Amino acid sequence: MIDQFINFVIRPPRAEYNPDLYLWEKNFTLAGRKYKREDLELINERGHTLRCSHYVPSQFPDNSPLPCVVYCHGNSGCRADANEVAVVLLPSNITVFTLDFAGSGLSDGDYVSLGWHEKNDLKVVVSYLRSNEKISRIGLWGRSMGAVTSLLYGAEDPSIAGMVLDSAFSNLFDLMMELADVYKIRLPKFTVKVAVQYMRRAIRKKAKFDINHLDCLQVAPKTFIPALFGHAKDDKFINLRHSETIFKSYAGDKNIIKFDGDHNTSRPHFYYDSVSIFLHNVLHPPRPPSAYPTMVEKYFDLDDLKVSAGRNENLIYQMIAGLQNVSTDAASSSSVPPSIETMKSAGELLSDIAPVATDSLVTEDNTHCGNSPSLVQDKLSTQNEECSSYTSSNRESWGRCSSLGSDDEPSVDCTRATDYDQTTIKVLATPLRNTQQSTLSSPKDEKKKASTDSKKSKREKFEKLEALSQRLRLCILKRVNHRRHCSS
């Protein structure tokens, strides 16, 4: 029975996984931006190989360095636990580095030490990041054993910009005594203490560390790194009291967040939001560039669809040909699709047509209503304030083993242009409508009415093409959500 408790401390269930299934892909897209996963191996001071992954943008913005957060997993965890962390931080221009500590996951080693040897593994990682010219500030995010590891290392390296400490224990000896009550071991307190002392000697012999030395209360008063503590209110494995005790003795800038759940439940959304704000304040990442450099590119984003890609080309031809015909006075009698460059994306083709169709609409309203150039200019400004756009959400769901990704859904994006020469009304913008009503009947009125009917039919044709264009865009833009398998 004592041997089982020894293995419970230094040899918990080990995570075995396939990186290609449980980690983010080598190249993936998140919130409209492209990222990549760089796998590498580091050697710790005991000669163990540490399997690591670094999530970075495919292209660093303006070749400027970015901050990095090192995620430290729990005693039975692995680097796959950082998948949700990547979703939180990557859109904020914060890279994420994660590793399997020695004795965990796919790294070498037979035992874990609940933070004692892991802090040296973390030292190797930080040294590697310091030598990387593309990395600026470094932060730490640890959970359970990883939180203790971060705190122990932070006490030795004050250059760390900030730490997120989720469910840390204050003292390992006290924790082991508490777990004896949690698991209802029916033995006198004196007998339990004797058993723990025996376990201490066995652990020192096997894993080469002393459980009495794992005391966060000894280092907390000496640590001045800004820290954000988090703990679940119903945590039965590591009681909330541990984080509260460390928080009271911590010397640096600090804050604590308490939330519903237990030790292994997924963290709530507001907790991730608080962590994101905290790390943004301490790491000062550069402002992320927009996923769409121009409004036209954002509006007509068809996911790099090529006309020759074999996705119902005739439908695209008809839509573009119809939009071109609307802008001309005489309709073409030819049924042959117009000549279109097959290497252009559909987004480029639609954006080329947008200014032409827009000019046609403006000319019609100017002629019909008798507006002066100044009134036309005012209508252009007014209409530009109510253009549609397409945006995507960067978060779908949360959870320790949840499926992560993004759902695309249309929303409204209002912009104002300051230069008329650089302004184009979007193809899907609402056309101007004539509100004038004629009350007299005369030959001139009949001619005007015939002209109005002709223009009205042209407008109806344009509106039908408009609806077709919108439906086509929405069909093309539906992407398959990123999914990952649950780790055991």
Side-chain angles (χ1 to χ4, degrees), residues 208-478:
K208 311 299 181 184
F209 76 98
D210 192 341
I211 61 175
N212 286 348
H213 293 167
L214 270 174
D215 189 356
C216 293
L217 297 179
Q218 296 294 325
V219 299
K222 306 174 185 177
T223 309
F224 297 90
I225 300 172
L228 177 63
F229 292 82
H231 212 113
K233 298 177 182 178
D234 300 323
D235 195 335
K236 304 298 183 185
F237 187 70
I238 300 177
N239 194 275
L240 174 61
R241 178 185 59 82
H242 287 267
S243 285
E244 292 177 336
T245 305
I246 300 174
F247 178 78
K248 290 179 181 178
S249 62
Y250 194 79
D253 293 339
K254 56 190 176 181
N255 194 8
I256 186 169
I257 299 176
K258 304 172 186 178
F259 42 83
D260 295 331
D262 57 31
H263 191 72
N264 291 315
T265 54
S266 59
R267 299 322 189 205
H269 289 198
F270 79 87
Y271 174 73
Y272 286 113
D273 292 338
S274 301
V275 170
S276 179
I277 295 172
F278 168 77
L279 292 175
H280 188 276
N281 290 335
V282 298
L283 296 176
H284 305 292
R287 185 175 181 179
S290 174
Y292 305 94
T294 64
M295 283 300 300
V296 173
E297 181 179 348
K298 178 178 181 180
Y299 190 73
F300 295 113
D301 178 18
L302 294 181
D303 197 20
D304 297 329
L305 176 68
K306 302 297 182 183
V307 175
S308 59
R311 296 194 191 180
N312 201 355
E313 301 174 11
N314 292 333
L315 183 61
I316 301 178
Y317 284 135
Q318 293 173 9
M319 181 185 70
I320 296 176
L323 292 176
Q324 290 175 337
N325 290 338
V326 168
S327 62
T328 60
D329 293 334
S332 174
S333 61
S334 174
S335 60
V336 181
S339 175
I340 300 176
E341 297 182 14
T342 58
M343 292 309 295
K344 277 191 176 183
S345 66
E348 294 174 353
L349 294 172
L350 289 176
S351 61
D352 292 341
I353 297 171
V356 180
T358 299
D359 293 340
S360 175
L361 286 177
V362 174
T363 304
E364 290 177 16
D365 284 292
N366 189 20
T367 304
H368 181 67
C369 301
N371 292 332
S372 63
S374 62
L375 294 177
V376 175
Q377 179 72 19
D378 293 339
K379 289 191 176 184
L380 280 174
S381 301
T382 303
Q383 200 165 11
N384 277 326
E385 293 175 0
E386 300 177 353
C387 60
S388 318
S389 69
Y390 195 87
T391 58
S392 62
S393 172
N394 67 327
R395 272 180 260 170
E396 176 189 3
S397 59
W398 301 104
R400 193 172 181 83
C401 297
S402 61
S403 298
L404 302 173
S406 62
D407 288 335
D408 293 333
E409 56 183 6
S411 63
V412 177
D413 182 65
C414 298
T415 59
R416 179 186 293 272
T418 58
D419 188 358
Y420 173 73
D421 295 333
Q422 298 178 355
T423 301
T424 59
I425 300 177
K426 305 300 180 290
V427 172
L428 302 185
T430 304
L432 298 175
R433 299 188 181 276
N434 179 28
T435 59
Q436 294 183 350
Q437 298 179 352
S438 61
T439 58
L440 300 178
S441 175
S442 64
K444 291 185 178 181
D445 293 339
E446 291 178 357
K447 291 182 181 180
K448 288 184 179 180
K449 184 176 181 181
S451 176
T452 302
D453 293 340
S454 175
K455 293 175 181 177
K456 183 178 180 181
S457 62
K458 188 179 295 185
R459 285 180 178 280
E460 291 176 352
K461 182 178 179 181
F462 183 83
E463 290 176 359
K464 290 180 181 179
L465 291 172
E466 170 191 337
L468 175 63
S469 173
Q470 188 173 13
R471 288 197 300 271
L472 179 63
R473 288 186 67 255
L474 293 178
C475 290
I476 296 174
L477 284 172
K478 286 191 176 180

